[in-house]
Amino acid sequence: MTALVLRDSPSPGVMHLTLNRPEKLNALSKELLAELVDLLREAAADDSVGCVILTGSGRAFSAGADISDMLERGVASYADSDRLARWRGIENFPKPIIAAVNGFALGGGLELALVCDIILASETAKFAAPEIKIGSFPGDGGTQRLPRLVGRSFAMQMVLTGDMVDAGLAERKGLVSEVLPADRLQERAVELATNIARKSVAITPYAKRAVKAADEHPLETGLEVERQLTIEAFATEDRMEGLRAFAEKREPMFKGR
């Protein structure tokens, strides 16, 4: 059986995952989500993996939910406990993850990109929350994460119209961090992931959690989360190695613990 998520390692410390349902524009079936979560679980447990890249095969990053399953099972296709658990598995992945959006990121595909920590986009990428066009709206985090990136007004515009947003506008609105020529997207994703993977695998999850706290808490609470995580990080070998290396004017030799 053909894998629904392909895996390779283009650089030391980097796991590259490709959604592989090009004939369905990489629609997010339960089976695809299961494979993705299994691979992320492996990456989380592997101390040699410092960063993950997620992209899509063919013309799309992902065109979103599997509509055929919704037609067949109705609300059960959404409320399915296994499906929701798989989304939580992606959301709770502790290491940095980069979305390299190579084409359409629609509906659940947009929501999948929003779960990632950094979004890079090809010049040909298109983003949309088109659910309103079929009598629905984003239900896997889109209504909550999108306003935090692009502001309430533009998020409302996207959700209530379902209109496509090109890569240039997405960058101006803060939805993506960089827009690249199509033939440079994967190269840039690998460059960035390699840079991150060279840092301490023990410390980058703390940094990720601290930044995410800005979305999840009011400022005062977020600052307290940041302080607590900083204190916890001092217990790691890598934190002290970084300080010693700075004092000794040399590159740190991180061990990932």
Side-chain angles (χ1 to χ4, degrees):
M1 185 173 67
T2 303
L4 297 175
V5 183
L6 304 178
R7 167 186 177 173
D8 65 291
S9 181
S11 179
V14 177
M15 181 183 286
H16 188 274
L17 303 178
T18 303
L19 306 181
N20 187 41
R21 292 184 78 197
E23 75 286 354
K24 297 288 187 181
L25 296 181
N26 303 319
L28 302 175
S29 64
K30 278 182 61 178
E31 294 76 17
L32 184 149
L33 289 173
E35 288 190 21
L36 178 56
V37 169
D38 285 346
L39 289 166
L40 290 177
R41 192 176 292 120
E42 286 184 32
D46 187 344
D47 290 342
S48 71
V49 175
C51 190
V52 170
I53 298 168
L54 181 62
T55 193
S57 59
R59 297 187 298 121
F61 177 75
S62 173
D66 196 328
I67 300 300
S68 60
D69 188 48
M70 289 186 181
L71 283 170
E72 182 179 337
R73 298 199 295 148
V75 69
S77 70
Y78 170 77
D80 184 297
S81 59
D82 288 338
R83 193 196 75 86
L84 293 174
R86 286 161 190 165
W87 268 101
R88 285 193 295 273
I90 300 167
E91 292 167 348
N92 294 331
F93 179 64
K95 296 181 179 180
I97 181 167
I98 298 171
V101 179
N102 53 300
F104 296 111
L106 313 179
L110 171 60
E111 290 173 305
L112 181 59
L114 292 173
V115 170
C116 297
D117 302 305
I118 298 170
I119 304 176
L120 304 179
S122 162
E123 289 174 338
T124 58
K126 302 285 186 183
F127 301 86
E131 292 92 340
I132 200 74
K133 295 181 177 182
I134 57 169
S136 185
F137 55 89
D140 285 313
T143 65
Q144 302 305 300
R145 292 189 176 94
L146 194 57
R148 287 170 165 82
L149 287 178
V150 304
R152 180 178 178 273
S153 179
F154 193 66
M156 280 288 192
Q157 181 175 321
M158 289 184 68
V159 170
L160 296 178
T161 66
D163 290 346
M164 291 276 193
V165 172
D166 65 28
L169 181 55
E171 184 181 33
R172 292 195 296 276
K173 292 295 184 180
L175 177 56
V176 305
S177 60
E178 295 181 28
V179 175
L180 290 307
D183 61 359
R184 269 277 293 152
L185 176 66
Q186 299 303 325
E187 180 184 353
R188 176 57 180 150
V190 172
E191 286 175 1
L192 194 56
T194 301
N195 186 344
I196 292 169
R198 290 192 182 116
K199 308 304 188 292
S200 167
V201 178
I203 297 299
T204 51
Y206 283 105
K208 172 173 172 169
R209 286 168 60 193
V211 174
K212 286 179 68 177
D215 287 342
E216 298 165 355
H217 303 287
L219 177 59
E220 184 176 354
T221 306
L223 290 171
E224 184 54 41
V225 170
E226 180 188 70
R227 292 185 192 104
Q228 186 57 43
L229 290 170
T230 301
I231 291 168
E232 290 178 21
F234 264 98
T236 65
E237 290 184 30
D238 282 355
R239 182 69 175 95
M240 299 311 295
E241 164 60 14
L243 294 174
R244 283 192 295 268
F246 180 81
E248 296 166 8
K249 296 180 172 56
R250 60 173 174 82
E251 289 295 315
M253 298 178 64
F254 293 128
K255 297 180 180 178
R257 56 180 187 265

